[in-house]
Amino acid sequence: MQIFSTRGRITTDNNKTNLIHKFDVPKGLTALRIKYSYSPKILQDRERAVSIIKECFDKYGEELIGRPADYLPVKNLITLSVDGCGVYRGAAHRQDDIQEHIISAGFTSPGFIKGTIDEGEWDIVLNVHSVSCDVEYTIEVEGEVE
């Protein structure tokens, strides 16, 4: 059964921030299935992408070897972590823009901690590592019973 669903937009103003989404988990669930996606993964504006690459080399004082275009594509990266009732349950710091994760006592996706699904307030935190353009995202959480 679906227990949480949201859609949103992340802009460059949200770069290097964390966005918290709170939701309530009812009693009696044995697993959570989290579906998460965002788009676009790659910045399509080539001129903007090359400009970003130049800015990064300047910012970090690195020597540009070759042409900025050699470092394309510029990718957006937004990962997620999960807390259950104030307790850290893990993170999926992966490059994929479409992800599905399971948390339960018997099985969890890599990066998450096995354990019971406690009733109460849970958080999904979007970790905005890098966005170079507006990004649309969706999060869906399904609760499962044995």
Side-chain angles (χ1 to χ4, degrees), residues 119-135:
E119 171 187 16
E121 186 177 82
W122 285 58
D123 301 330
I124 291 180
V125 181
L126 296 184
N127 313 115
V128 185
H129 298 273
S130 179
V131 290
S132 302
C133 61
D134 287 357
V135 174

Side-chain angles (χ1 to χ4, degrees), residues 57-132:
F57 273 93
D58 289 344
K59 179 178 180 177
Y60 295 107
E62 295 291 327
E63 181 183 341
L64 178 65
I65 299 171
R67 302 169 303 135
D70 295 340
Y71 295 87
L72 293 174
V74 170
K75 297 179 181 179
N76 295 311
L77 178 60
I78 307 163
T79 63
L80 67 82
S81 58
V82 177
D83 299 311
C85 301
V87 177
Y88 178 76
R89 293 301 296 263
H93 286 212
R94 300 179 187 28
Q95 289 285 336
D96 299 337
D97 54 342
I98 300 173
Q99 302 179 24
E100 186 170 324
H101 307 288
I102 296 172
I103 301 173
S104 74
F107 172 82
T108 62
S109 299
F112 294 94
I113 300 166
K114 290 180 187 177
T116 59
I117 304 302
D118 296 326
E119 171 187 16
E121 186 177 82
W122 285 58
D123 301 330
I124 291 180
V125 181
L126 296 184
N127 313 115
V128 185
H129 298 273
S130 179
V131 290
S132 302

Side-chain angles (χ1 to χ4, degrees), residues 10-84:
I10 295 173
T11 69
T12 54
D13 290 340
N14 303 116
N15 201 31
K16 311 246 183 308
T17 64
N18 294 312
L19 304 174
I20 300 171
H21 295 284
K22 296 184 176 299
F23 61 99
D24 290 319
V25 171
K27 186 176 183 177
L29 298 182
T30 57
L32 294 180
R33 181 178 302 272
I34 301 165
K35 298 176 183 178
Y36 165 60
S37 65
Y38 65 93
S39 179
K41 177 65 179 172
I42 295 173
L43 175 61
Q44 296 299 319
D45 181 341
R46 183 180 170 88
E47 184 177 318
R48 176 74 183 123
V50 167
S51 174
I52 289 170
I53 291 166
K54 288 178 184 176
E55 289 169 12
C56 288
F57 273 93
D58 289 344
K59 179 178 180 177
Y60 295 107
E62 295 291 327
E63 181 183 341
L64 178 65
I65 299 171
R67 302 169 303 135
D70 295 340
Y71 295 87
L72 293 174
V74 170
K75 297 179 181 179
N76 295 311
L77 178 60
I78 307 163
T79 63
L80 67 82
S81 58
V82 177
D83 299 311

